[in-house]
């Protein structure tokens, strides 16, 4: 088997809450591998026979990335894709700890129409890893619920070398997945909100433009995407990918403030008419779950629906920071839906497309589609 090896330089454009079981920040290869697998699925799904077959995709993924079960045709075996993080010149494995032990002072606030006071943008997008300090009246790093230890983070000044080795026959798909990770990839806790925004540097990577994205064949119409309950492609409407950019800012904090403002806008356009435990299913439940003070009794506070609209902070050619928004649409999973009443199930399925179109319209007003 002919093996291929590639090396990339990696760093973060925003602090990364990426770490170990004690929620202490640490450079580790498993999250990088998980990110690679995520984008590999988007690349591989349309190439399958039949296209977008979950069973075929799972079989292909197990074959390449390894399987841990003796059930089915693919027996347990190690991954054919190997990753190594290097932090020193000797080439040793560098699972070093993150250096950020105090949250930096400052940070902006955003207006939330459902809150009586200004909301810290760091706290809004990073609640959990970031907490509110009543004494200083500012954001601080939170504590791990499992260990009680204060969290740490990887800052935007740290970097490492990421080396990949894989069978040469898989080079095209894996390189495309790495290109997508370079454009949209984030790692760690609250990554979908833009934390842990990955910066990947390598000569074969290209800038995020409409033409470069269209070459990859990873976009599908919104209606196609909403027919599947897993993120299978970057969505499109009217031949335009569901990718936006914000205006370039001087630093990551201003870029994150812009993303926080956008998220508040596209969520709060959907007004609630009921609240508290046993709340009625409404438009905003399509976006993500749980929602503070709006828990339908069938879901309670335990069910989870991940946010489909993902944020990233990228560096421009002149070193500024811009927000990137990408939507990988999919319908609400049947496992979550069937816990609702028949009436609520029908409401969700009837209104999913409209709700997401309203989100896209709001983003079109306040950000710029990819060009």
């Amino acid at each position: 088997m002919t093996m291929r090896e590639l090396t990339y330089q990696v760093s973060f454009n925003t602090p990364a809450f990426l770490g170990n079981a004690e929620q202490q920040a640490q450079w580790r290869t498993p999250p990088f591998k998980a990110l690679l697998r995520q984008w590999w699925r988007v690349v591989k799904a349309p190439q399958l026979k039949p296209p977008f077959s979950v069973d075929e995709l799972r079989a292909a993924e197990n074959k390449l990335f390894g399987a841990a079960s003796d059930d089915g045709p693919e027996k347990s075996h190690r991954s054919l894709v190997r990753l190594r993080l290097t932090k020193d010149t000797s080439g040793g494995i560098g699972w070093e700890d993150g250096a950020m032990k105090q949250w930096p002072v400052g940070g902006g606030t955003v207006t939330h129409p459902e809150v009586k006071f200004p909301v810290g943008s760091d706290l809004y997008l990073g609640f959990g890893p970031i907490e509110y300090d009543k004494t200083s009246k500012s954001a601080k790093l939170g504590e791990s619920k499992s260990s009680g230890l204060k969290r740490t983070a990887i800052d935007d000044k740290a970097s490492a070398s990421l080396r990949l080795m894989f069978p040469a026959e898989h080079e095209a798909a894996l390189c495309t997945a790495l290109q997508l990770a370079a454009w949209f990839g984030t790692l760690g806790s609250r990554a979908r909100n833009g934390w842990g925004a990955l910066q990947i540097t390598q000569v074969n990577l290209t800038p995020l433009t409409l033409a470069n994205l269209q070459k990859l064949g990873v976009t599908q119409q919104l209606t196609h995407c909403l027919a599947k309950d897993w993120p299978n492609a970057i969505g499109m409407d009217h031949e335009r990918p569901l990718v936006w950019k914000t205006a370039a800012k001087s630093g990551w904090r201003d870029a994150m403030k812009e993303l926080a403002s956008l998220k508040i806008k596209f969520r709060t356009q959907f007004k609630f008419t009921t609240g508290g435990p046993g709340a009625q299913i409404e438009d905003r439940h399509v976006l993500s779950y749980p929602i503070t003070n709006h828990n339908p009794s069938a879901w309670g506070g335990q069910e989870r629906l991940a946010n489909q609209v993902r944020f990233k902070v990228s560096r421009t050619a002149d070193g500024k920071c811009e927000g990137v928004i990408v939507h990988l649409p999919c319908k609400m999973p049947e496992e979550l839906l069937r816990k609702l009443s028949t009436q609520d199930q029908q409401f969700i399925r009837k209104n999913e497309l409209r709700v997401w179109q309203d989100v896209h319209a709001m983003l079109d007003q306040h950000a710029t589609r990819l060009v």
Side-chain angles (χ1 to χ4, degrees):
M1 181 185 298
T2 302
M3 300 296 288
R4 182 82 166 92
E5 185 175 318
L6 293 174
T7 301
Y8 297 80
Q9 291 301 122
V10 293
S11 58
F12 293 102
N13 294 327
T14 57
F17 307 112
L18 175 71
N20 54 32
E22 285 74 39
Q23 297 179 336
Q24 299 297 289
Q26 187 178 52
W27 289 87
R28 303 174 66 248
T29 55
F32 284 87
K33 192 170 188 178
L35 181 68
L36 180 61
R37 291 176 74 147
Q38 169 194 318
W39 288 107
W40 177 89
R41 294 182 197 117
V42 173
V43 175
K44 193 69 177 178
Q47 303 171 4
L48 300 171
K49 302 298 180 185
F52 301 97
S53 165
V54 173
D55 291 338
E56 294 299 321
L57 182 63
R58 185 178 293 112
E61 183 175 352
N62 288 343
K63 184 175 181 180
L64 178 60
F65 289 98
S69 173
D70 291 328
D71 297 333
E74 194 67 39
K75 304 303 181 183
S76 295
H77 66 89
R78 296 180 63 182
S79 172
L80 301 179
V81 180
R82 302 173 188 173
L83 285 75
R84 172 170 289 187
L85 277 171
T86 304
K87 291 284 289 178
D88 57 49
T89 56
S90 67
I93 297 176
W95 284 22
E96 293 188 1
D97 295 337
M100 182 181 284
K101 295 178 171 54
Q102 298 290 334
W103 193 247
V105 296
T109 60
V110 288
T111 300
H112 194 301
E114 298 170 356
V115 179
K116 296 179 180 179
F117 46 84
V119 178
S121 52
D122 292 356
L123 188 63
Y124 178 74
L125 292 178
F127 184 75
I130 303 174
E131 296 178 356
Y132 181 69
D133 188 339
K134 294 181 180 179
T135 302
S136 64
K137 297 183 179 180
S138 61
K140 66 175 183 178
L141 287 169
E143 293 184 355
S144 167
K145 292 182 179 180
S146 58
S147 66
L149 297 173
K150 184 178 178 181
R151 287 178 182 256
T152 56
I154 299 173
D155 61 32
D156 59 326
K157 300 176 181 62
S159 63
S161 177
L162 178 67
R163 188 168 64 178
L164 290 87
M165 183 176 290
F166 49 83
E169 64 187 280
H170 296 284
E171 181 173 2
L174 288 171
C175 284
T176 302
L178 281 161
Q179 176 66 83
L180 291 167
W183 288 340
F184 307 117
T186 53
L187 291 174
S189 182
R190 299 298 181 266
R192 294 194 185 205
N193 280 352
W195 299 112
L198 194 60
Q199 181 76 20
I200 307 180
T201 305
Q202 217 260 15
V203 293
N204 67 354
L205 297 176
T206 61
L208 175 56
T209 65
L210 179 60
N212 286 339
L213 176 59
Q214 289 175 329
K215 291 176 184 177
L216 302 188
V218 294
T219 57
Q220 293 289 332
Q221 289 296 324
L222 177 59
T223 50
H224 163 95
C225 295
L226 292 178
K228 302 286 186 182
D229 64 0
W230 55 281
N232 56 90
I234 294 172
M236 293 182 65
D237 63 0
H238 309 296
E239 305 307 317
R240 302 180 304 168
L242 300 175
V243 180
W244 296 261
K245 289 186 177 183
T246 69
K249 304 292 183 179
S250 59
W252 65 263
R253 230 165 187 170
D254 288 336
M256 290 295 281
K257 179 180 177 181
E258 186 74 11
L259 291 174
S261 179
L262 284 172
K263 186 168 185 178
I264 290 170
K265 282 183 171 68
F266 76 66
R267 288 179 61 81
T268 59
Q269 68 175 311
F270 305 110
K271 308 299 182 183
F272 282 114
T273 61
T274 64
Q280 178 181 323
I281 287 288
E282 301 192 53
D283 288 348
R284 206 185 301 183
H285 290 103
V286 171
L287 304 184
S288 62
Y289 191 80
I291 304 171
T292 304
N293 297 325
H294 295 278
N295 297 331
S297 55
W299 287 348
Q302 302 304 312
E303 301 297 336
R304 294 292 182 270
L305 179 64
N307 183 17
Q308 299 179 14
V309 178
R310 309 179 189 203
F311 293 162
K312 166 81 181 278
V313 172
S314 293
R315 293 281 177 183
T316 62
D318 59 359
K320 293 184 177 181
C321 292
E322 62 183 5
V324 176
I325 305 104
V326 59
H327 187 193
L328 281 77
C330 60
K331 68 179 181 180
M332 185 176 292
E334 293 292 341
E335 182 179 355
L336 193 60
L337 196 71
R338 61 174 171 256
K339 295 183 178 182
L340 300 172
S341 68
T342 301
Q343 181 180 349
D344 284 340
Q345 291 180 33
Q346 292 173 346
F347 175 88
I348 293 289
R349 290 294 183 239
K350 180 180 178 181
N351 290 284
E352 276 179 308
L353 177 60
R354 174 189 57 79
V355 167
W356 287 120
Q357 288 173 332
D358 288 347
V359 169
H360 304 154
M362 180 66 74
L363 289 171
D364 282 337
Q365 291 179 37
H366 299 282
T368 303
R369 285 280 186 131
L370 187 64
V371 295

